[in-house]
Amino acid sequence: PIVKYVYAIEPPVPGFVFSVAYYLIASVSLIGLNLVQERKRDTDADADASSESMESTSTPYPIRGGIELGSYLFFGNCLQVVGLATVPADRAAFLVQLTTIIVPFLQAGMIGSGSNTDEKKGLSSLPLTTWIACLVAFLGVIVMELDGNEVLNMVQNGNIGGVTNMIAGGGGNGAGPGDVLILLSAFAYSLHVVRLDTYAKTTTPLRLAACKATTEAVQTIALVFLLITAFPTTDLGSEIIHYRDAITSTSISPSALWPAIGACFWTGWVTCAYTIYAQSYGQRRVAPTDANLIYTTQPLFSALFAYGLLGERLGVEGFVGGACIAFALWLVTSA
């Protein structure tokens, strides 16, 4: 609801401008929290008794890891934003959830490339229950996407021709370059999940999160600057310039800006800073594929929030898909 409100303001806040705002808030907040934590540790007489504290003082900021991981998230976000211009939101959501399948293959490939001859190689490096859980979760996502989907309604009404026309490209809804961009964004997100497993174990979660958020903020600022200087006539460039002119000409009332500023802080603190930190913290202890299965529960939480805030109800397909995702998580946690 908050993001919808930001985009509903006249003129609507451009997506990349919104990203600059909440990435900056997340970056400054995480760096500030890390500085406070370090100062508290330095003045605490018992700090040396904590293994976490000892690790923190012995490791520098993970600049390289922050740049690599932050870049995966930045490019994934950019590819998704551009792809959504031509790809329906429901199909884009489905394509992004392909991370459920991509992550285990990437993890298996990276484990199998090790030099240790005693370790399992390739696909066999992951337990069979993990592969089954990934497939079940992926099927659950597919079924949940069918809940209220236009394609399912066509099938139920016997309009098979309409389904064929949509898949083949009729009406501009067929597969195209936008779908490729969304798939590439899913691959970028998958790389982030797998590579995070390496960096999360070498530093503290707060330092890694601060470096990632700062990387995303710097890259997004650079992108916005590039769009308004080198590509001002493109849709993205002209949208940002139009919004800048509206701000400077005071055509937007302060009463409309304050809620937007609040939305930026909420997104920066909760959905950006906290989630980046939580991922960095959690994947110190959880394998990439298992972590990504937990991320697959996102449609479940979306459905709960949609019911609580918007009164939207799940259909039979939604409940079946949710049950599949829950069963996949049970398979992994009980193995």
Side-chain angles (χ1 to χ4, degrees):
I2 292 176
V3 176
K4 287 184 177 180
Y5 175 83
V6 170
Y7 291 154
I9 297 175
E10 284 298 333
V13 181
F16 286 126
V17 173
F18 185 46
S19 297
V20 166
Y22 65 71
Y23 279 139
L24 278 175
I25 292 171
S27 174
V28 172
S29 301
L30 289 169
I31 291 175
L33 286 174
N34 188 73
L35 292 175
V36 170
Q37 185 186 66
E38 290 181 347
R39 178 171 296 181
K40 180 180 178 181
R41 184 169 51 246
D42 291 339
T43 57
D44 190 349
D46 299 325
D48 293 337
S50 169
S51 59
E52 178 81 11
S53 298
M54 293 175 64
E55 180 186 24
S56 301
T57 56
S58 62
T59 56
Y61 275 92
I63 304 298
R64 178 180 175 182
I67 292 175
E68 179 184 344
L69 297 174
S71 296
Y72 292 144
L73 295 176
F74 168 75
F75 285 112
N77 180 57
C78 290
L79 291 169
Q80 190 173 2
V81 168
V82 177
L84 280 170
T86 56
V87 178
D90 55 351
R91 192 162 78 210
F94 163 74
L95 292 173
V96 169
Q97 289 295 339
L98 286 174
T99 54
T100 310
I101 300 299
I102 299 173
V103 167
F105 277 101
L106 285 176
Q107 184 184 354
M110 291 182 179
I111 292 176
S113 63
S115 58
N116 187 354
T117 56
D118 295 330
E119 72 176 3
K120 292 183 178 181
K121 304 293 184 179
L123 301 183
S124 62
S125 61
L126 297 178
L128 179 60
T129 53
T130 298
W131 287 107
I132 295 175
C134 289
L135 291 174
V136 172
F138 182 60
L139 289 175
V141 171
I142 294 177
V143 175
M144 285 200 75
E145 288 297 327
L146 290 176
D147 189 20
N149 189 276
E150 182 180 356
V151 174
L152 180 63
N153 293 333
M154 287 181 178
V155 173
Q156 292 175 340
N157 294 329
N159 187 10
I160 305 300
V163 176
T164 305
N165 182 56
M166 178 176 292
I167 296 175
N173 291 324
D179 296 82
V180 176
L181 294 178
I182 300 294
L183 281 173
L184 289 175
S185 74
F187 186 76
Y189 293 141
S190 300
L191 279 173
H192 168 262
V193 173
V194 175
R195 292 293 291 156
L196 178 58
D197 182 64
T198 299
Y199 290 111
K201 298 173 182 177
T202 63
T203 185
T204 63
L206 200 52
R207 285 189 171 188
L208 184 56
C211 290
K212 287 199 303 181
T214 301
T215 296
E216 292 179 85
V218 171
Q219 291 177 334
T220 307
I221 291 172
L223 176 61
V224 169
F225 180 78
L226 181 67
L227 287 172
I228 63 178
T229 55
F231 304 99
T233 59
T234 62
D235 291 339
L236 292 174
S238 60
E239 182 185 25
I240 295 173
I241 293 174
H242 176 64
Y243 185 74
R244 181 196 63 188
D245 294 340
I247 291 289
T248 55
S249 64
T250 66
S251 62
I252 301 179
S253 64
S255 60
L257 280 179
W258 280 116
I261 293 173
C264 290
F265 275 97
W266 170 267
T267 306
W269 282 335
V270 179
T271 65
C272 188
Y274 170 74
T275 55
I276 292 176
Y277 169 80
Q279 277 188 293
S280 301
Y281 179 86
Q283 284 199 229
R284 303 181 82 190
R285 299 160 177 81
V286 181
T289 298
D290 295 347
N292 199 66
L293 282 171
I294 296 174
Y295 303 151
T296 308
T297 59
Q298 182 267 333
L300 296 179
F301 288 100
S302 295
L304 288 175
F305 281 115
Y307 173 76
L309 299 176
L310 304 176
E312 297 179 0
R313 295 179 179 272
L314 283 177
V316 176
E317 297 82 7
F319 283 108
V320 172
C324 288
I325 295 174
F327 178 68
L329 288 177
W330 177 80
L331 277 178
V332 172
T333 57
S334 62

